[in-house]
Amino acid sequence: MSTDFYRDGEPVADAKAPAGPIAERWEKRRFSGRLVNPANRRKLRVIVVGTGLAGASAAATLGELGYRVANYCFQDSSRRAHSIAAQGGINAAKNYRNDGDSVHRLFYDTVKGGDFRSRESNVHRLAEVSTEIIDQCVAQGVPFAREYGGLLDNRSFGGAQVSRTFYARGQTGQQLLLGAYQALQRQVAAGTVDLHTRHEMLELVIVDGKARGIVVRDLVTGEISTELADAVVLATGGYGNVYFLSTNAMGCNVTAGWRAHRKGAYFANPCYTQIHPTCIPQSGEHQSKLTLMSESLRNDGRVWVPKKKGDDRHPADIPEDERDYYLERRYPAFGNLVPRDIASRAAKVVCDEGHGVGPGGLGVYLDFAAAIERLGRKAVEAKYGNLFDMYERITGENPYERPMRIYPAVHYTMGGLWVDYDLSSNIPGLFVTGEANFSDHGANRLGASALMQGLSDGYFVLPNTISDYLADGPFEAVPEDHEAVVAARRAVDDRIAFFLGNDGDRTVDSFHRELGKIMWEYCGMERTEEGLTKAIGLIRSLKDEFWRRVKVTGKNEQLNQELEKAGRVADFLELGELMCIDALHRSESCGGHFRAESQTEDGEAKRDDANFSYVAAWEYGEDAPVLHKEALEFEYVKPTQRSYK
């Protein structure tokens, strides 16, 4: 029984979301929230951890408002945050195409795309703010693609029948991050933001029940130091690297969020992970990461497999009537632009049936022959040239002449630290933005919505909500020798000393790779009660072995990537167990969480709204996690069985 692995706790509620018509709630909250006058802002210090879109935009905006900001990242430049890897675009309800889009339609598409497992209030705010984001970024000089007449161009993404995605070729994340970076550097130059690169947060400091600081390690010198403030903002991204192989950058990790979780912050819906349908298939055991091919390619590319099982002919030699364009066949209304969870499961089904292509049969074709014939090669190059070049460099195959081979891979995590409408965790003074929180996407994120959420949180939401908390400040100064600060530093020192002193015989990577295989096999695209129960036992055994046998070479007082990875993998092991417990307890299927026991006759996800229409907010427990349920209510988008047919 899944209840053998956890305890039930008291329900949790979002007390900050205002009542009334949904279109008025955000304005109502902004007006009702307390303000901090400019003179008092200069007395308040805020720590922002992370310099991706959510972190850089938050730090820059808070600095411009006059707060004193300390901004931390583990990269050697804030420009190297993983947001830079986003390719396809950013959604906004501008309706420039006059194709029926609106704030309400973006709200509806996002709630439906998340399989009715997100908060209506949060999602509507996201749709409202989306239009402001585009204006902000254009003013910064972000080079969005434009039509011949100079108007901003749009393209379509999965889960929508309108074109609302703004883009900069296949480099949208990079261009948006450069816009946020220049805003951040302006505040660094103005002296309102202190930027600390090559520093990793290893512990959260809580004083009298409030988040008051962090403990960080200088990744170059090994120096351990504390930063104390009036509030802490975590913008540290997702935890997809728990699977070892993912499209995330190698450095992406869960440590900042997990340290907060161990100090009492609830972790919400950890089992909601997104498997992206268009990634370059794994080529061998030697790989340490996977590469994304933008969802935007599904605008013009057609997905197919041979109808004949095991057909290894060159794709050009397979006639049209011997090809199965399975997305177009199964989902005629949306075709190749169904949401990611649906496209990924459909690819898995055809490959499991023996129709897959490439090594091991783990691949499907993404074919641009029809688009090249219709538009011409130059037009296709203009849209996707950098993506095609990337694919050819990695695979050695020319996608203009031969269809791309793609297969699903771990890409994004909808779960994260629990936050209320103000983006505050259940720990006062700890705010969480972007992918690090759980708030907007439910059980499945629509394509091009991650960039929208990150910039929404950083530029527009957090600066308007954190003031309500900081209006009570400045809080009493915390000295470096405070017992809570000393205890947090000692915990970090002890952990480092253990890793460096343990006389083990296995590398950190070997444990990480083994964990990833367990997670992918039993908590990946398809999950079962038997498999998840087995995974929990395997992870617990692996965790015990890790603490006995892990070997970390080198010393603390130097650049030591093995030491960095050891702490991250230790946290991944604990997170992986919680993900499996969460997936086991949620015996329904919804979005990216697919339980084989809960599916319709034609193999689609089958929700159980009567028993699982809630956010699962997990509290850390030494013996077992504690489940707190936040009931979800739907006034404006009534839950139905999702259909994209």
Side-chain angles (χ1 to χ4, degrees):
M1 293 287 293
S2 62
T3 51
D4 295 339
F5 297 109
Y6 68 91
R7 303 195 312 272
D8 284 310
E10 294 298 315
V12 63
D14 177 10
K16 299 292 179 59
I22 196 166
E24 300 174 7
R25 290 178 187 174
W26 175 226
E27 189 60 37
K28 186 176 180 180
R29 180 59 188 146
R30 284 199 293 182
F31 181 75
S32 64
R34 294 173 297 169
L35 302 177
V36 180
N37 78 55
N40 286 341
R41 291 177 204 153
R42 293 191 290 270
K43 303 173 185 176
L44 293 161
R45 190 162 184 81
V46 180
I47 297 168
V48 179
V49 185
T51 59
L53 289 179
S57 59
T61 307
L62 293 172
E64 191 162 5
L65 285 170
Y67 296 104
R68 294 181 297 125
V69 180
N71 193 194
Y72 284 85
C73 68
F74 63 74
Q75 295 89 352
D76 57 358
S77 167
S78 52
R79 290 178 297 177
R80 292 198 173 188
H82 187 56
S83 298
I84 202 169
Q87 298 170 354
I90 177 171
N91 287 330
K94 286 286 197 181
N95 195 32
Y96 284 167
R97 287 292 183 90
N98 196 29
D99 55 1
D101 200 12
S102 64
V103 167
H104 190 81
R105 187 174 295 279
L106 176 53
F107 159 66
Y108 171 84
D109 287 346
T110 305
V111 172
K112 177 185 175 184
D115 216 353
F116 306 96
R117 290 294 177 262
S118 54
R119 294 182 186 141
E120 284 191 329
S121 294
N122 290 62
V123 176
H124 197 279
R125 176 177 64 189
L126 178 65
E128 285 180 68
V129 171
S130 71
T131 59
E132 300 176 52
I133 296 170
I134 302 303
D135 296 339
Q136 166 88 357
C137 294
V138 169
Q140 290 175 334
V142 173
F144 286 123
R146 293 178 181 268
E147 297 175 335
Y148 180 77
L151 299 177
L152 294 177
D153 197 13
N154 293 117
R155 57 189 177 199
S156 300
F157 259 60
Q161 292 179 304
V162 297
S163 296
R164 64 163 68 101
T165 304
F166 295 79
Y167 65 98
R169 293 188 76 193
Q171 309 168 351
T172 313
Q174 179 181 7
Q175 299 304 326
L176 292 173
L177 186 60
L178 289 174
Y181 170 77
Q182 68 185 22
L184 175 62
Q185 289 299 322
R186 179 169 178 263
Q187 297 309 311
V188 171
T192 62
V193 176
D194 296 325
L195 180 60
H196 305 270
T197 59
R198 304 300 286 152
H199 284 74
E200 182 171 19
M201 173 184 160
L202 297 179
E203 193 56 271
L204 178 70
V205 177
I206 296 181
V207 178
D208 297 330
K210 296 184 174 68
R212 295 301 306 273
I214 60 175
V215 180
V216 297
R217 177 176 179 268
D218 185 318
L219 299 183
V220 177
T221 67
E223 179 185 2
I224 307 298
S225 59
T226 54
E227 179 80 51
L228 301 171
D230 296 289
V232 177
V233 179
L234 298 186
T236 48
Y239 49 87
N241 274 351
V242 69
Y243 290 88
F244 187 73
L245 286 178
S246 80
T247 65
N248 289 183
M250 294 292 291
C252 293
N253 65 84
V254 76
T255 290
W258 197 254
R259 296 292 99 194
H261 176 57
R262 287 181 63 102
K263 285 291 183 73
Y266 294 166
F267 208 108
N269 300 334
C271 77
Y272 290 167
T273 53
Q274 181 162 89
I275 314 293
H276 198 294
T278 52
C279 302
I280 298 177
Q282 182 180 354
S283 60
E285 285 295 313
H286 63 284
Q287 275 185 263
S288 55
K289 78 176 302 294
L290 298 172
T291 303
L292 172 72
M293 287 284 101
S294 170
E295 180 170 321
S296 63
L297 295 170
R298 288 198 276 148
N299 271 269
D300 292 303
R302 300 180 70 194
V303 179
W304 64 276
V305 292
K307 290 182 178 179
K308 179 183 176 183
K309 295 182 180 181
D311 193 336
D312 59 359
R313 286 179 290 174
H314 190 286
D317 296 333
I318 301 177
E320 279 289 314
D321 61 358
E322 295 182 29
R323 301 179 179 189
D324 180 12
Y325 294 91
Y326 59 89
L327 291 178
E328 298 173 26
R329 170 174 56 81
R330 293 182 59 179
Y331 309 101
F334 282 74
N336 294 297
L337 287 175
V338 292
R340 291 173 176 176
D341 59 320
I342 290 175
S344 292
R345 282 199 300 275
K348 181 181 187 300
V349 167
V350 294
C351 290
D352 288 349
E353 291 174 347
H355 297 281
V357 300
L362 295 178
V364 300
Y365 287 128
L366 182 60
D367 197 337
F368 291 86
I372 292 172
E373 182 179 349
R374 183 179 75 253
L375 303 171
R377 176 164 170 161
K378 286 187 177 180
V380 173
E381 285 181 358
K383 284 185 174 182
Y384 311 117
N386 65 309
L387 298 172
F388 279 42
D389 292 344
M390 185 192 309
Y391 179 88
E392 185 171 10
R393 282 198 299 270
I394 291 172
T395 66
E397 299 174 1
N398 185 341
Y400 295 104
E401 300 172 358
R402 182 188 182 110
M404 289 183 177
R405 287 179 296 107
I406 58 170
Y407 193 70
V410 175
H411 176 62
Y412 186 89
T413 52
M414 286 73 69
L417 293 181
W418 183 91
V419 292
D420 62 18
Y421 192 69
D422 284 0
L423 304 183
S424 170
S425 73
N426 59 298
I427 298 176
L430 178 66
F431 294 79
V432 191
T433 63
E435 191 179 355
N437 74 32
F438 88 102
S439 68
D440 291 349
H441 305 295
N444 175 63
R445 177 177 66 78
L446 292 183
S449 289
L451 307 186
M452 176 173 63
Q453 186 209 348
L455 293 180
S456 167
D457 287 355
Y459 282 135
F460 299 105
V461 179
L462 180 75
N464 281 290
T465 59
I466 197 172
S467 61
D468 187 65
Y469 175 78
L470 293 174
D472 290 328
F475 303 105
E476 183 179 350
V478 178
E480 291 277 351
D481 60 356
H482 189 284
E483 60 180 356
V485 179
V486 173
R489 287 196 59 159
R490 185 184 305 117
V492 171
D493 289 336
D494 291 347
R495 190 172 164 97
I496 290 173
F498 171 83
F499 285 135
L500 294 173
N502 192 53
D503 188 22
D505 58 359
R506 281 191 64 178
T507 65
V508 177
D509 273 349
S510 72
F511 284 103
H512 194 181
R513 190 182 294 273
E514 186 173 344
L515 172 65
K517 288 181 177 179
I518 295 170
M519 294 299 296
W520 181 250
E521 179 68 23
Y522 302 110
C523 197
M525 277 192 282
E526 182 174 299
R527 302 150 182 193
T528 65
E529 180 178 0
E530 180 184 4
L532 290 165
T533 304
K534 180 178 180 179
I536 293 169
L538 291 172
I539 293 170
R540 288 178 172 177
S541 296
L542 185 65
K543 182 169 58 176
D544 291 342
E545 185 178 351
F546 173 85
W547 290 106
R548 292 196 318 271
R549 297 182 58 189
V550 70
K551 177 69 173 178
V552 177
T553 56
K555 57 184 180 179
N556 178 56
E557 293 77 18
Q558 65 178 129
L559 178 65
N560 189 338
Q561 291 187 314
E562 287 302 302
L563 179 58
E564 297 169 31
K565 289 189 290 187
R568 296 168 187 173
V569 172
D571 292 333
F572 277 142
L573 285 163
E574 294 185 0
L575 168 68
E577 181 180 338
L578 181 62
M579 289 171 66
C580 292
I581 292 172
D582 187 37
L584 181 61
H585 111 277
R586 189 175 286 275
S587 57
E588 66 164 354
S589 293
C590 57
H593 168 62
F594 188 78
R595 284 288 295 268
E597 304 93 338
S598 181
Q599 55 184 303
T600 62
E601 290 182 0
D602 53 355
E604 302 294 347
K606 184 179 180 181
R607 293 196 324 273
D608 179 359
D609 293 335
N611 295 303
F612 292 101
S613 186
Y614 60 78
V615 175
W618 295 93
E619 179 184 357
Y620 181 80
E622 288 292 344
D623 55 340
V626 180
L627 173 61
H628 302 273
K629 298 177 182 178
E630 179 198 336
L632 293 170
E633 299 178 1
F634 296 92
E635 300 177 60
Y636 296 87
V637 183
K638 296 302 180 183
T640 59
Q641 179 65 40
R642 275 195 315 170
S643 175
Y644 293 92
K645 296 184 176 183

